[in-house]
Every structure is written in structure tokens, then in C-alpha cells.
Amino acid sequence: MYNTDIPNREELPSTAKLIRSTIVAAIVALVLLVTVVMPAEYALDPTGAGRLLGLTEMGEIKEQLAEEAAADAEAEMVAVQSSSAQGPQEVAEPVMAEPSDESVSAPEAEITAAKPGPAAEPVAVEPQWQDEVRVVLTPGEGTEFKLTMEEGAVARYSWASEGGPINYDTHGNGSGQSISYEKGRGVPEDEGELEAAFTGDHGWFFRNRNDNNITLVLRTGGDYGQLKKVL
């Protein structure tokens, strides 16, 4: 039975060619690791190529999800250990206070004539919001909104979670930089001002850790270009 011819020694690749091919493959693998795998999986971008390709933000979201999952598992473990460690609690019987024989006489109140006060100060009207978004999040679902801002710009914000508290991470990225301003777990609402540390996209990542759907309402105003939904 004929299968194939055995190659001659001259047709086989030399040791130098094999070494050269191995070096080229290793270099290609290293380049892919630094420019693609590290930004997309671990949010590490030493070359800046991941940020240009949009992979670093993907890695940041993955890191946030991993941190949230680990924190949730730790919180559940602490709650289980705490409930098992606590035994039945004794309820103390109320102690009835004995009546005192001495009576305390209160001084007579002085009656003063009412004087007309100053005119009421005008109430400041709540500033108008430039943008308002509403989004329904199912259990475990997340979403992200970003404001395009210049360095030093200040934006006002107010958000509320209807139906249950929510986890959030206020952060920003751009100009080859990234920053985390504030994080919270199980927060029903928040408001304040967001000042951009550098020119780029700054905003919030939200995740619903409840067992039911919730409605997130986000309002923004101030000095920014546009409000965009990233995720």
C-alpha cells in the first residue's frame, strides 16, 4: 500500500530555520499578549494599543465584575457565619419605674407678644437637567453611562434605583489614563458633582444584584459634551 514518499534530508528544514521560526512565533505571541490579551482580560495596557482598540475598557468591566462577584461571595459567607454564631437572644423584662412622692412644679411660661418677622426668602428653583435616562435592569444585569468631558469640567448628576438598591462604580478613562472616583454597594440613590481629572469619558457603571428587576433613573447637567450609553 502506497501512502507518500519519505522526504530527503535536503528537503527537511534546517536547525537554523526551525530556531528562526520559533523566535518569530514567540515574538508574535508576545505582541498579541501585550496588545490584545492583557488589555482585554486584565485591563493592563502598557503600550496604549488596547485603549485605541477599545479592549482596555472591556478588561476594566471584567475586573469590576470579578470584584463584585468576590465581594458578594464574601458578604454571603460573613452573613452565614454571623447567623450561625449567634444563639437565641434573651429578652429582658421591662422594669416599672416607681412613682415619686415629690412633685416637681414647672415654672409658669412667659407669654410674649408675637413680632412680625422678616419677609420669607425666595426658594431656589432646582436647576434643569440636560439629560435624563431610564433603564430597566434584570437581576445580575449591568449598564454603563459616560459623559464626554474636558479636563477640569464639572458635571452635576443625580441617580436613583427604583425597586431596590444598586452597586455602582464612578470612573473615567481617556488620554491614555484611567481613574476610579468612587464605588458603592447596595446604594438606593446618589447625587453630586463629577469633576473630570483629565479629558475623556467619565461616568458610572451600575449592576443590579437584587432578585427582581429595578429601574435606574439617571439625570445629568453641567459642563460636558454628551451622555452616551457604553454598555
Side-chain angles (χ1 to χ4, degrees), residues 5 35 43 54 151 168 186:
D5 294 329
T35 60
E151 181 178 355
Y168 74 94

Side-chain angles (χ1 to χ4, degrees), residues 126-134 145 147 155-162 170 188-194 204 206 215-222 224 227:
E126 182 179 359
Q128 295 294 325
W129 299 108
Q130 294 172 222
D131 294 287
E132 176 178 331
V133 292
R134 290 175 174 267
F145 292 93
L147 302 173
R156 295 176 288 102
Y157 69 88
S158 173
W159 60 260
S161 174
E162 301 174 355
T170 308
E189 61 184 14
D190 188 28
E191 64 179 7
E193 292 184 344
L194 176 60
W204 307 264
F206 300 97
T215 299
L216 174 68
V217 182
L218 173 64
R219 299 180 178 92
T220 58
Y224 64 89
L227 170 65

Side-chain angles (χ1 to χ4, degrees), residues 6 39 51 54 63 82 96 110 112 117 119 127 129 133 135 139-140 142 150 177 181 201 217:
I6 300 176
R51 185 74 62 183
E63 289 294 315
S82 177
M96 302 299 294
E110 296 181 357
T112 57
W129 299 108
V133 292
V135 58
E150 298 292 330
Q177 305 179 67
Y181 295 105
D201 297 333
V217 182

Side-chain angles (χ1 to χ4, degrees), residues 174-204:
S175 304
Q177 305 179 67
S178 61
I179 186 174
S180 178
Y181 295 105
E182 185 180 16
K183 294 182 180 182
R185 294 174 52 80
V187 181
E189 61 184 14
D190 188 28
E191 64 179 7
E193 292 184 344
L194 176 60
E195 181 177 354
F198 46 80
T199 300
D201 297 333
H202 305 264
W204 307 264

Side-chain angles (χ1 to χ4, degrees), residues 87-117:
Q89 300 180 353
E90 297 181 357
V91 180
E93 296 183 358
V95 178
M96 302 299 294
E98 297 182 359
S100 175
D101 295 337
E102 298 181 358
S103 59
V104 180
S105 59
E108 297 181 356
E110 296 181 357
I111 302 176
T112 57
K115 297 181 180 179

